[in-house]
Amino acid sequence: WQTNDWSDTHNHGYGLLFLALAYGSIQNEELAEEVRVAIHRGIALSLKAQTPGGGWGYSITLPNHNGMIDEGSCTITQITALRACREAGFAVPRQPIEKAVAYIKACAYRGGFYYALDHQGKPLVRLGDGTFVPGSTPRFAITAAAVSVLNAYGAPREDEKPLLSLVEGGIDFLADFIPRKKQTWDEADFYYYG
């Protein structure tokens, strides 16, 4: 399958998420079996592509594609897909999800979340023109996605107070920095994605 060569990891994550969500409603047994096999293969590929740092980069097959070993939006896409697979009854080891959540947590800063971490664990942000620069402030869109994933992971549980603190801080950050439609590309920070 041909992609736009920017992020097959996003494409794979959204496809796997779709299959996991649809799986339980498929009534045709032959189709259900095809989807079951595809989900198993998709889970295996996702797990194989996880980086040692716990995240995912833009390409499942090309390490360091577009100059990024791993980054937040691809990582969030994979966490969401793998969690949906677990909820659909498929075996997904907990450790890779915990490593991915740890990656997202490491991107937290003053309520918001950075786009990615560089090789030294320092924050990076992605500008609208595709360049990556050292981060001085967290970004709205990645914070919205991170809050969603961390909340789904278990922030409301009483035994997850540190996680709950990150979610609540992220919500406060979002409330303070809601982008406006009339802003430029960089200023709006991926308005619709956020």
Side-chain angles (χ1 to χ4, degrees):
W1 182 256
Q2 188 70 27
T3 72
N4 63 5
D5 194 40
W6 179 251
S7 179
D8 58 37
T9 305
H10 282 106
N11 300 340
H12 175 73
Y14 290 133
L16 186 57
L17 174 62
F18 171 80
L19 292 176
L21 294 174
Y23 180 71
S25 63
I26 299 173
Q27 296 180 359
N28 178 295
E29 289 183 28
E30 187 176 317
L31 178 58
E33 177 60 16
E34 286 180 34
V35 171
R36 186 190 67 75
V37 169
I39 291 172
H40 277 294
R41 290 176 58 202
I43 291 169
L45 184 59
S46 288
L47 296 177
K48 181 180 177 187
Q50 190 174 27
T51 68
W56 280 266
Y58 283 114
S59 179
I60 288 178
T61 56
L62 302 171
N64 205 28
H65 186 55
N66 290 316
M68 297 298 294
I69 292 174
D70 47 31
E71 59 85 38
S73 67
C74 289
T75 301
I76 287 166
T77 303
Q78 293 301 309
I79 294 171
T80 304
L82 291 172
R83 185 171 180 272
C85 291
R86 281 185 69 148
E87 290 180 0
F90 292 86
V92 177
R94 188 155 182 84
Q95 184 183 21
I97 293 175
E98 289 175 353
K99 281 178 60 178
V101 167
Y103 179 90
I104 297 302
K105 288 163 74 174
C107 292
Y109 181 73
R110 295 187 180 179
F113 290 80
Y114 286 112
Y115 171 76
L117 302 174
D118 69 11
H119 302 297
Q120 289 85 37
K122 295 179 182 171
L124 292 173
V125 294
R126 179 177 181 271
L127 301 179
D129 64 3
T131 59
F132 300 95
V133 297
S136 58
T137 59
R139 303 300 288 233
F140 179 86
I142 201 68
T143 298
V147 164
S148 176
V149 164
L150 294 178
N151 186 59
Y153 179 73
R157 295 192 330 239
E158 185 64 28
D159 62 334
E160 288 289 354
K161 286 190 179 184
L163 202 56
L164 179 59
S165 175
L166 288 176
V167 169
E168 289 174 344
I171 290 170
D172 290 343
F173 176 90
L174 294 172
D176 288 341
F177 295 99
I178 294 173
R180 306 291 182 244
K181 289 182 184 180
K182 293 183 180 180
Q183 292 172 315
T184 66
W185 175 263
D186 284 339
E187 291 170 340
D189 192 29
F190 301 98
Y191 180 85
Y192 292 104
Y193 176 78

